[in-house]
Amino acid sequence: MKHDMVSGVENPGQRVFYEQQWSDINLDDTPNQSGWRSIRPASDFLDFVKKLEQRHISGRALDLGCGNGRHAIVFAKNDFETYGLDFSENAIKLAENNASKNHIDTINFSVGDALNLEYADDFFNVINDDGCLHHIDPTDWQKYVENIFRVTKPDGTLRVKVFSKNSGNMSEASSNNRWQFSASSGYTYFFDETEIRNIFAKHFHITELKEISHDVDGRKKFYSVVMDKS
């Protein structure tokens, strides 16, 4: 497994916050739990992987904002050449440890920047973003999508999951500002459907866009989006 340090983090304040979060975390392995504090993959991600198999999609997969590696491990178990990227060094250490516990030593984990992806053009068949984009400042959305577009193969598939503005953990007191900070959610943007379509319209063709609830906490709402490179 590879462990590289890459400069250029999206937001220095976020780096401090999440490094602390990942250093203090007690990962949950309780059945029927999910979320970034759990090592269990989200059910909608598992559905996505099943659909990839049904479409006979294989090759290289990137888990962007991989956290503790829970989804990267699923990719590896399904025979993808797997890469995991996160801007938190502590998260990557946890991801490497979790992969080792699962007897997987083939995942290419690295510390890096979603806005400066250091991969070759047309490199990935599949990219998964389960909760990275909603931590990126709106002024950087274009840079984010251009980076992903560049490293995705011409027939590649992208999955993105972000918080919805209908989510119960968005502060009503500041509902006019959907870029928010809280101790439980960190730096988070809460999207509406139009924004999502506008972000990806020039680069990807959306094949599925739906609002879903958190596996455990039904108050939390997300948009799950699957798309192909245009």
Side-chain angles (χ1 to χ4, degrees):
M1 291 182 288
K2 182 176 65 175
H3 185 195
D4 297 327
M5 187 66 183
V6 182
S7 61
V9 172
E10 298 94 328
N11 181 309
Q14 290 208 59
R15 169 188 276 274
V16 173
F17 175 81
Y18 286 107
E19 287 292 10
Q20 186 64 46
Q21 291 287 305
W22 285 115
S23 68
D24 293 341
I25 200 167
N26 291 314
L27 293 177
D28 191 354
D29 190 25
T30 306
N32 300 319
Q33 293 293 315
S34 182
W36 68 281
R37 293 179 176 86
S38 168
I39 62 172
R40 293 184 177 268
S43 61
D44 48 291
F45 173 75
L46 295 177
D47 291 341
F48 170 67
V49 173
K50 288 180 182 178
K51 290 178 182 178
L52 293 176
E53 182 180 6
Q54 292 168 357
R55 295 173 61 190
H56 305 289
I57 295 175
S58 59
R60 294 193 188 104
L62 171 64
D63 189 19
L64 186 63
C66 66
N68 64 50
R70 62 193 178 118
H71 293 145
I73 290 169
V74 175
F75 274 140
K77 287 182 175 180
N78 282 269
D79 299 323
F80 283 91
E81 180 185 331
T82 305
Y83 294 73
L85 184 78
D86 201 285
F87 77 169
S88 166
E89 187 169 5
N90 287 324
I92 292 298
K93 290 177 181 177
L94 286 171
E96 292 176 334
N97 185 53
N98 286 339
S100 179
K101 288 180 178 178
N102 280 269
H103 308 291
I104 296 172
D105 60 4
T106 57
I107 302 176
N108 298 277
F109 285 117
S110 59
V111 180
D113 185 353
L115 305 180
N116 183 27
L117 296 175
E118 296 195 346
Y119 305 105
D121 293 358
D122 303 332
F123 192 70
F124 292 107
N125 301 87
V126 179
I127 295 181
N128 175 61
D129 171 351
D130 196 299
C132 179
L133 174 58
H134 61 218
H135 296 309
I136 293 178
D137 190 282
T139 59
D140 288 322
W141 288 349
Q142 182 175 353
K143 189 173 182 180
Y144 161 91
V145 73
E146 288 174 351
N147 265 263
I148 291 180
F149 180 80
R150 181 185 61 79
V151 302
T152 304
K153 288 182 178 292
D155 59 348
T157 300
L158 170 64
R159 172 184 177 264
V160 174
K161 182 178 175 182
V162 293
F163 270 116
S164 163
K165 70 175 185 178
N166 300 315
S167 184
N169 63 326
M170 188 180 85
S171 171
E172 294 182 4
S174 55
S175 59
N176 291 328
N177 177 18
R178 287 185 276 123
W179 176 246
Q180 300 182 6
F181 172 80
S182 72
S184 60
S185 300
Y187 295 79
T188 304
Y189 189 88
F190 295 82
F191 284 84
D192 65 35
E193 182 175 333
T194 300
E195 287 169 326
I196 294 170
R197 293 188 180 278
N198 288 341
I199 290 168
F200 294 101
K202 293 182 180 179
H203 297 88
F204 291 90
H205 170 67
I206 294 176
T207 59
E208 178 181 293
L209 194 161
K210 58 185 179 181
E211 190 176 59
I212 62 174
S213 298
H214 189 276
D215 285 347
V216 180
D217 185 352
R219 298 177 311 111
K220 295 181 179 180
K221 306 292 183 183
F222 302 89
Y223 284 110
S224 176
V225 193
V226 178
M227 54 200 110
D228 296 327
K229 186 171 178 177
S230 299

